[in-house]
Amino acid sequence: MIGLTILGSTGSIGVSTLDVVARHPGQYRVEALTANRDVERLLAQCIEFHPAYAVMADPDAALLLERRIRDAGLAVEVLAGVEGLEQVASMDSVQYVMAAIVGAAGLLPTLAAARSGKRVLLANKEALVVSGELFMQTAASSGAEILPIDSEHNAVFQCMPEGFREGLDQVGVTRILLTASGGPFRTLPLDQLQGVTPDQACAHPNWEMGRKISVDSATMMNKGLEVIEACWLFHTSADRIRVVLHPQSVIHSMVAYSDGSVLAQLGNPDMRTPIAHALAWPRRMASGVEPLDLFEVARLDFEAPDLHRFPCLRLAYQAIDAGGGAPAILNAANEVAVAAFLERRIAFTAIPAVIDSALEALPGKRVDDLDGLLALDAEARERAEQSIAGLV
Ligand code: NAD
Ligand code: MG
């Protein structure tokens, strides 16, 4: 049996991962489950999956969980904090780590998994955006396998030829076509964007996801982060990656070859497909996802993204061009701005303004060590908070 740690097991990806695992009894042993502070849900998952460890990032929540675990008579060891997360991401009894914490909060445990040579099922794109070069080097030197869970990158991975790590030209790949649904506001009149609410922003037309990534999809910052993610995962520069709006979310991405062929991966929009793919790779296994009915889909549309409607996508390209620490600044400022929008402290349309001010204020110099990245992340958060304070 394969030992599995799920970082962020109470979230949308975490719950879908447990759903897939439960369909294959005897194949995966859930060694550790982790959450930030959702004690009730983590307890319920412990009762169902009997992990050896449960980790709460929040120390008070850990104390509470420990008491509940004891009362329930379970043999689960409770750990706390980022040290606990790093421990369960790197321990010997674990071979696969699902990295599904949201935001840069997942950076240290995800890096710990990469450092200890695990198969890393990478959903936590922010970790890669912040630490790209360091993360890929860490994985390369430990021999960790990085398998993308983000549906687009999982699709690209499925359409890529063997040997793509040597360079796209060597294997005849000319372009990566990253599809994007355009989110809930693709056609909303521009003058109404100012007044949209968090619930409207989180009502994604095709996917059910956590609130942070749902807002990122509505601003299209999600696609910007994904372009950066794809550069690292597929060893390419951003000029080889084209974003294609595809409102039906049936084609999850494509790879174009020098002979004119374009390979696509299709399926219903359900994260259990990429999760099952990465758990079973190089084999295949059932995921519980409904088979795709092309007659029901009936048509597939494509359009170019509008950078005027989606200034966050433009800012992401700006950060890619600037290079160095700029993607880490972009990510940190975006996390702060999205949290402020979800708390109704700023308008939806203020999100790009906050990010822009952080990118303007901080030099995007090259940072290649972890301490430097963490310091830059903290500085960008502070800068973004200051600009929010100036807005309200
Ligand atoms: P979510 O908000 O539903 O869940 C987040 C998980 O992280 C929860 O278990 C939460 O307890 C944990 N967490 C939050 N803050 C934490 C902290 N400070 N320390 C430790 N744990 C913390 O998010 P999600 O939608 O499942 O997304 C998770 C990641 O996967 C994100 O990086 C997202 O971009 C990526 N992703 C999600 C989807 C999707 O369909 N949901 C698709 C592609 C990529
Ligand atoms: Mg995605």
Side-chain angles (χ1 to χ4, degrees):
M1 280 217 275
I2 293 166
L4 171 68
T5 281
I6 304 178
L7 301 169
S9 66
T10 58
S12 162
I13 294 287
V15 168
S16 294
T17 304
L18 286 171
D19 180 281
V20 174
V21 165
R23 291 167 193 277
H24 300 277
Q27 285 200 44
Y28 305 94
R29 185 185 66 251
V30 178
E31 276 290 305
L33 296 173
T34 88
N36 190 20
R37 41 176 165 243
D38 188 346
V39 171
E40 293 313 316
R41 188 170 262 190
L42 196 57
L43 177 71
Q45 292 180 340
C46 288
I47 292 170
E48 187 175 353
F49 291 95
H50 299 279
Y53 295 89
V55 189
M56 304 261 27
D58 181 280
D60 293 332
L63 287 175
L64 189 57
L65 180 71
E66 197 160 28
R67 195 158 357 116
R68 302 292 309 274
I69 293 263
R70 207 175 330 117
D71 292 349
L74 295 171
V76 179
E77 186 167 338
V78 177
L79 304 174
V82 75
E83 300 77 19
L85 296 171
E86 288 180 312
Q87 181 179 330
V88 298
S90 53
M91 60 196 184
D92 288 344
S93 56
V94 165
Q95 290 80 48
Y96 292 7
V97 175
M98 166 56 81
I101 292 174
V102 60
L107 175 59
L108 293 175
T110 306
L111 258 180
R115 201 178 299 117
S116 42
K118 308 300 183 197
R119 173 179 291 197
V120 182
L121 287 69
L122 186 72
N124 183 202
K125 69 191 86 186
E126 297 92 343
L128 191 56
V129 168
V130 173
S131 72
E133 191 170 3
L134 175 72
F135 186 87
M136 294 309 288
Q137 278 171 358
T138 304
S141 51
S142 73
E145 254 171 354
I146 310 298
L147 294 182
I149 294 297
D150 215 345
S151 57
E152 296 76 3
H153 306 73
N154 184 270
V156 170
F157 184 84
Q158 294 196 44
C159 298
M160 271 289 176
E162 278 287 313
F164 69 82
R165 289 176 188 81
E166 308 308 317
L168 297 190
D169 284 335
Q170 273 80 332
V171 288
V173 170
T174 52
R175 263 188 208 292
I176 290 173
L177 304 168
L178 274 194
T179 52
S181 69
F185 306 139
R186 185 176 55 90
T187 58
L188 190 76
L190 284 178
D191 59 354
Q192 291 179 26
L193 274 181
Q194 165 85 11
V196 300
T197 64
D199 283 347
Q200 286 171 318
C202 290
H204 196 280
N206 308 328
W207 297 95
E208 269 186 54
M209 309 179 285
R211 283 172 84 77
K212 190 268 178 178
I213 185 178
S214 296
V215 176
D216 285 348
S217 299
T219 62
M220 280 195 80
M221 178 55 90
N222 183 49
K223 213 48 54 179
L225 299 176
E226 289 184 358
V227 171
I228 301 171
E229 184 186 11
C231 289
W232 292 116
L233 288 173
F234 302 111
H235 309 268
T236 183
S237 54
D239 57 0
R240 292 291 193 94
I241 302 172
R242 182 167 289 170
V243 172
V244 180
L245 278 196
H246 164 50
Q248 290 89 359
S249 300
V250 165
I251 295 182
H252 299 306
S253 278
M254 298 172 260
V255 173
Y257 286 80
S258 53
D259 61 4
S261 300
V262 177
L263 301 193
Q265 187 260 356
L266 287 74
N268 282 319
D270 187 322
M271 291 306 292
R272 290 176 300 174
T273 294
I275 291 167
H277 171 266
L279 280 171
W281 188 81
R283 298 153 67 111
R284 296 275 175 173
M285 69 183 193
S287 63
V289 174
E290 285 291 306
L292 181 65
D293 181 344
L294 279 175
F295 298 121
E296 200 179 302
V297 173
R299 57 180 283 177
L300 300 172
D301 293 305
F302 306 100
E303 44 186 270
D306 170 356
L307 294 188
H308 180 58
R309 175 179 290 273
F310 298 113
C312 284
L313 185 55
R314 185 173 43 73
L315 289 168
Y317 281 122
Q318 210 175 297
I320 293 168
D321 282 345
I329 298 170
L330 174 91
N331 177 70
N334 180 57
E335 285 191 34
V336 170
V338 170
F341 167 67
L342 286 172
E343 292 159 9
R344 295 177 174 266
R345 285 159 58 214
I346 60 170
F348 183 76
T349 43
I351 295 174
V354 171
I355 300 164
D356 196 18
S357 81
L359 283 172
E360 287 290 316
L362 298 172
K365 60 177 188 301
R366 194 188 144 98
V367 186
D368 41 23
D369 66 313
L370 186 55
D371 288 344
L373 288 170
L374 295 175
L376 188 61
D377 173 89
E379 218 180 325
R381 281 169 202 271
E382 200 178 312
R383 179 60 235 177
E385 287 294 0
Q386 282 165 7
S387 109
I388 289 169
L391 286 170
V392 292

